[in-house]
Amino acid sequence: MRILLVEDHTELSHWLAKALRDANLTVECADNGADADALLHTQDYALVILDLTLPRMDGLDVLRRLRARPAPRGQTPVMILTARGGLDDKVQGLNLGADDYLPKPFELAELEARVKALLRRRIGSEALVYSCGALAFDTVTRLFSYGGAPLALTPREHAVLETLITRTGAAVSKEKLFREVFALADDANLDAIELYIHRVRKKLDVAMPDAAVITTLRGIGYLLQPKPAS
């Protein structure tokens, strides 16, 4: 789940980005409206967290331009997070297509709950838990488990396995995985995905050898599927 955080207050942006990454989300940041608009024109995100009072382009203009784009990019969920908490700004933001509106100051727990709710809405309320064999991923807690026991993963390992389990039985290309795991600012190349696939395979094999397996389909990508019975 890759999120774009648009916030020009440096300290707040760093704090929010860390909190979201600790919740196993991939976060990219923009500190002005023009850069955010450019990213939203070329990149796909599961969610945008958008301040309104931004340099170079107001947040409402960013939202207006996003909603004018064709689907699916133009339908990206947007949470407005702003000190402009007046009724007129709130009504205007919602009328322009914002999915949620949270005024500053705010509690981090509330922000995280709203983010999770928007992400669940995006993937569909019927898919609260994904499973592959005995491996399960809860989209509410954002945790993997096997037989009720948690599976410990680093954020990037988590992103790899989440991308695969939400597409169980379908091949996922290396390029798709790369886009989901790494932010644009990360110093990484496409081959780094092979390292994380190796690490996830090893953890699956150690923690749950009879649960699920990641198969490499040469020239196509990677496939997560239940491990065949021996």
Side-chain angles (χ1 to χ4, degrees), residues 110-124:
E110 181 180 5
L111 172 72
E112 291 180 344
R114 290 180 181 232
V115 165
K116 289 177 180 178
L118 287 172
L119 293 175
R120 287 199 306 273
R121 190 186 307 169
R122 181 179 185 273
I123 62 177

Side-chain angles (χ1 to χ4, degrees), residues 142-211:
R142 298 197 54 73
L143 295 176
F144 283 94
S145 63
Y146 170 65
L151 177 64
L153 299 165
T154 68
R156 284 178 178 164
E157 292 167 356
H158 190 287
V160 166
L161 193 52
E162 179 180 350
T163 304
L164 292 173
I165 201 169
T166 55
R167 297 163 179 81
T168 296
V172 181
S173 69
K174 185 186 289 188
E175 292 80 6
K176 171 68 174 175
L177 280 170
F178 185 83
R179 290 194 301 270
E180 294 294 330
V181 173
F182 293 99
L184 291 175
D186 291 333
D187 183 16
N189 60 48
L190 195 60
D191 291 337
I193 288 299
E194 295 178 10
L195 171 63
Y196 287 99
I197 287 288
H198 172 75
R199 290 178 178 177
V200 173
R201 276 181 174 144
K202 187 173 181 180
K203 288 190 175 181
L204 289 177
D205 193 49
V206 170
M208 47 194 77
D210 57 341

Side-chain angles (χ1 to χ4, degrees), residues 2-3 29 41 89 94 97 105 136 138 147 169 176 217 223:
R2 193 165 63 136
I3 289 179
C29 299
H41 185 66
D89 283 315
L94 293 173
D138 189 319
K176 171 68 174 175
L217 304 175
L223 176 70

Side-chain angles (χ1 to χ4, degrees), residues 13-201:
S13 178
H14 289 170
W15 176 69
L16 281 175
K18 182 182 184 304
L20 293 167
R21 287 171 183 140
D22 288 345
N24 298 310
L25 297 165
T26 302
V27 183
E28 292 178 4
C29 299
D31 61 6
N32 66 81
D35 285 352
D37 181 63
L39 287 169
L40 291 168
H41 185 66
T42 60
Q43 303 296 314
D44 295 316
Y45 297 97
L47 175 67
V48 181
I49 300 177
L50 179 66
D51 192 8
L52 293 186
T53 306
L54 296 167
R56 299 180 60 193
M57 184 184 294
D58 187 77
L60 289 176
D61 290 327
V62 174
L63 176 59
R64 185 181 293 108
R65 290 169 62 87
L66 173 63
R67 290 293 180 249
R69 295 188 179 113
R73 199 166 279 163
Q75 296 174 337
T76 304
V78 174
M79 174 191 286
I80 292 178
L81 185 67
T82 180
R84 284 159 52 179
L87 180 60
D88 289 345
D89 283 315
K90 185 172 184 178
V91 169
Q92 187 177 8
L94 293 173
N95 283 340
L96 285 174
D99 299 271
D100 200 357
Y101 198 108
L102 183 61
K104 301 174 184 176
F106 59 90
E107 294 292 334
L108 181 59
E110 181 180 5
L111 172 72
E112 291 180 344
R114 290 180 181 232
V115 165
K116 289 177 180 178
L118 287 172
L119 293 175
R120 287 199 306 273
R121 190 186 307 169
R122 181 179 185 273
I123 62 177
S125 58
E126 73 281 358
L128 293 178
V129 177
Y130 288 94
S131 62
C132 181
L135 175 66
F137 174 60
D138 189 319
T139 62
V140 177
T141 63
R142 298 197 54 73
L143 295 176
F144 283 94
S145 63
Y146 170 65
L151 177 64
L153 299 165
T154 68
R156 284 178 178 164
E157 292 167 356
H158 190 287
V160 166
L161 193 52
E162 179 180 350
T163 304
L164 292 173
I165 201 169
T166 55
R167 297 163 179 81
T168 296
V172 181
S173 69
K174 185 186 289 188
E175 292 80 6
K176 171 68 174 175
L177 280 170
F178 185 83
R179 290 194 301 270
E180 294 294 330
V181 173
F182 293 99
L184 291 175
D186 291 333
D187 183 16
N189 60 48
L190 195 60
D191 291 337
I193 288 299
E194 295 178 10
L195 171 63
Y196 287 99
I197 287 288
H198 172 75
R199 290 178 178 177
V200 173
R201 276 181 174 144

